[in-house]
Amino acid sequence: MAIKYPTPKKTTEKIINRANLGMTLESDIEATNQYYLDKQIAVIYKKPTPVQVVTVSYPARNKAKIVEAYYKTPSTTDFNGVYRGYYVDFDAKETNSRTSIPLKNIPDHQIHHLKRVVDAGGIGFMIIYFASYNQYFYLPFDVLYDHFQDSLHGGRKSIPYETIKKEGYPITFGYNPRIDYLSILDQYVIPGLKQASACK
Amino acid sequence: MAIKYPTPKKTTEKIINRANLGMTLESDIEATNQYYLDKQIAVIYKKPTPVQVVTVSYPARNKAKIVEAYYKTPSTTDFNGVYRGYYVDFDAKETNSRTSIPLKNIPDHQIHHLKRVVDAGGIGFMIIYFASYNQYFYLPFDVLYDHFQDSLHGGRKSIPYETIKKEGYPITFGYNPRIDYLSILDQYVIPGLKQASACK
């Protein structure tokens, strides 16, 4: 009779990245937000994609079936919510470029929305994913806005990778939470806000 | 020849209410939010109703037509945003009752969501409209939550009009903004928050 040995536990650390998990940037952020929600850390949701409903049919009692509808352009970013009493608002973009993220990847309405948010005292930013390097960055809104303004006055139409490395903050990809962007707020953003205004 | 006298300006104040304007509570709040946005007072949006898209057809180039979709139950309230750096989150309900608002008008998931929001340092509330009196109230989340908890332990399943009058704050209906709920935050809510914690 063959003796059945217990399977040894793996001790080698597995390198976790998106390729392993087969996920998209958006679903990784949604999983991160779910983690924050479950652990009672923050309440941050993705907004539903707005849909213009034209025709609804009622094939069964109490069951509305939309049979004609169209996607609408949202006026805001995808994600917002509350963390430690702060209003948080952001979107996430990825690029395959090794050198920069093109500004055309970021719709104007998102920039205008984030400008209004920051002016109203909220925390606005972008999460930028450089797929070639498998690197995530927290890009503060003011850095994005400076480049956007420059681009309107003849400046370059993209933000260089090197600038993002220098003026943004790297976010380590992990198992849970996957993209821990709130740790950047704790370390770099909220202390600065407190210094700027002792009390609101 | 007849002399044309200038038409005298009306000096009687017109009583403005929803009946005059033929609007719904939701559209009045959306108009209010648009006013706040235009005047750069606050950035508060209604979230789109979530839709589960099943089938999309492409009758014309670049034009996606949704041909099968269903409404999903949202996990949150309808409205959120930022005002003076504070995260604001609420929903609006109306009733024809002269005596109370039934708690069944407020879905459990909205109460749980607002609880999480308040625990994360946000400002959560309800706007309650008593159609019979044409009166609007700001109902702080803690008052709602106390009644919700009571109802789970055998207490009454509604919040009396008299309680809302006493523990909520009346919001005057106006022309623009129509339902100026942020004035309640200025007067009653934010000063209390500042006292509770000098700085976040």
Side-chain angles (χ1 to χ4, degrees):
Chain A
M1 193 180 106
I3 293 161
K4 206 173 178 184
Y5 293 98
T7 318
K9 279 202 177 127
K10 277 186 195 168
T11 49
T12 34
E13 283 235 333
K14 195 176 162 193
I15 294 177
I16 298 156
N17 64 34
R18 291 225 342 262
N20 294 132
L21 295 166
M23 304 298 277
T24 64
L25 178 58
E26 184 178 299
S27 66
D28 282 337
I29 292 172
E30 290 208 69
T32 303
N33 290 343
Q34 189 61 50
Y35 173 88
Y36 291 149
L37 196 66
D38 293 345
K39 298 281 178 191
Q40 298 179 16
I41 293 168
V43 184
I44 298 164
Y45 281 97
K46 181 183 182 296
K47 290 188 189 174
T49 308
V51 161
Q52 178 71 51
V53 175
V54 179
T55 317
V56 178
S57 81
Y58 294 86
R61 201 186 290 252
N62 297 329
K63 183 77 176 165
K65 182 183 174 185
I66 299 163
V67 292
E68 186 183 354
Y70 301 92
Y71 290 108
K72 285 197 292 187
T73 307
S75 2
T76 65
T77 49
D78 272 0
F79 301 97
N80 78 349
V82 57
Y83 173 55
R84 291 174 54 186
Y86 293 96
Y87 175 83
V88 168
D89 196 303
F90 66 101
D91 218 296
K93 305 289 169 192
E94 71 179 275
T95 180
N96 290 317
S97 163
R98 303 179 74 84
T99 54
S100 67
I101 176 132
L103 282 167
K104 69 171 164 47
N105 288 16
I106 303 166
D108 283 9
H109 72 79
Q110 292 191 346
I111 291 173
H112 296 312
H113 170 72
L114 285 172
K115 179 74 169 72
R116 286 186 203 108
V117 160
V118 168
D119 287 348
I123 299 174
F125 58 96
M126 280 275 160
I127 293 175
I128 309 285
Y129 176 56
F130 279 90
S132 329
Y133 302 110
N134 194 32
Q135 283 178 347
Y136 300 84
F137 293 94
Y138 176 109
L139 184 68
F141 175 69
D142 55 350
V143 180
L144 168 61
Y145 195 64
D146 285 351
H147 283 80
F148 172 73
Q149 290 286 56
D150 278 359
S151 79
L152 297 180
H153 301 95
R156 61 179 292 169
K157 309 287 184 205
S158 61
I159 311 176
Y161 170 71
E162 291 303 328
T163 303
I164 291 174
K165 251 179 99 166
K166 218 172 84 187
E167 302 188 38
Y169 305 99
I171 310 171
T172 317
F173 192 92
Y175 178 64
N176 211 5
R178 289 190 198 156
I179 303 172
D180 189 13
Y181 57 89
L182 291 182
S183 67
I184 308 295
L185 264 66
D186 285 333
Q187 284 177 76
Y188 305 105
V189 184
I190 293 172
L193 292 176
K194 280 193 174 164
Q195 219 161 18
S197 71
C199 299
K200 272 186 214 169
Chain B
M1 196 181 105
I3 295 161
K4 208 174 179 184
Y5 293 100
T7 317
K9 278 198 179 130
K10 276 186 194 169
T11 49
T12 35
E13 284 233 333
K14 195 178 163 192
I15 294 176
I16 297 156
N17 63 36
R18 293 226 340 263
N20 294 131
L21 295 166
M23 305 298 276
T24 65
L25 177 58
E26 185 178 298
S27 66
D28 282 336
I29 292 173
E30 290 208 70
T32 303
N33 290 343
Q34 189 60 50
Y35 173 89
Y36 291 148
L37 195 67
D38 294 344
K39 297 283 178 190
Q40 299 178 17
I41 294 168
V43 184
I44 297 164
Y45 281 97
K46 182 182 181 296
K47 290 188 187 173
T49 308
V51 161
Q52 178 71 51
V53 175
V54 179
T55 318
V56 178
S57 82
Y58 294 86
R61 201 187 290 251
N62 297 328
K63 182 78 176 166
K65 182 184 175 184
I66 299 163
V67 293
E68 186 183 356
Y70 300 92
Y71 289 109
K72 286 197 291 186
T73 307
S75 1
T76 65
T77 49
D78 272 359
F79 301 96
N80 79 348
V82 58
Y83 174 55
R84 290 173 53 187
Y86 294 96
Y87 175 82
V88 169
D89 196 304
F90 65 101
D91 218 297
K93 305 291 171 192
E94 69 179 276
T95 181
N96 291 317
S97 162
R98 304 179 72 85
T99 54
S100 67
I101 176 130
L103 282 166
K104 68 170 166 48
N105 288 15
I106 303 165
D108 283 10
H109 72 79
Q110 291 192 345
I111 291 173
H112 296 312
H113 170 72
L114 285 172
K115 179 75 169 71
R116 287 186 202 107
V117 160
V118 169
D119 287 349
I123 299 174
F125 59 95
M126 280 276 161
I127 293 175
I128 309 284
Y129 175 57
F130 279 90
S132 329
Y133 302 110
N134 195 32
Q135 283 178 347
Y136 299 83
F137 292 95
Y138 176 109
L139 184 68
F141 175 69
D142 55 350
V143 179
L144 168 62
Y145 195 64
D146 286 351
H147 283 81
F148 172 73
Q149 290 286 57
D150 278 358
S151 78
L152 297 180
H153 302 96
R156 62 179 291 168
K157 309 287 184 207
S158 61
I159 311 176
Y161 170 72
E162 290 302 327
T163 303
I164 292 174
K165 250 179 98 166
K166 219 172 84 188
E167 301 187 39
Y169 305 99
I171 311 171
T172 316
F173 192 91
Y175 178 65
N176 210 5
R178 289 190 200 157
I179 303 173
D180 189 12
Y181 57 88
L182 291 182
S183 66
I184 308 295
L185 264 67
D186 285 333
Q187 284 177 74
Y188 305 107
V189 183
I190 293 173
L193 292 175
K194 279 194 175 163
Q195 219 161 17
S197 72
C199 296
K200 273 185 206 167

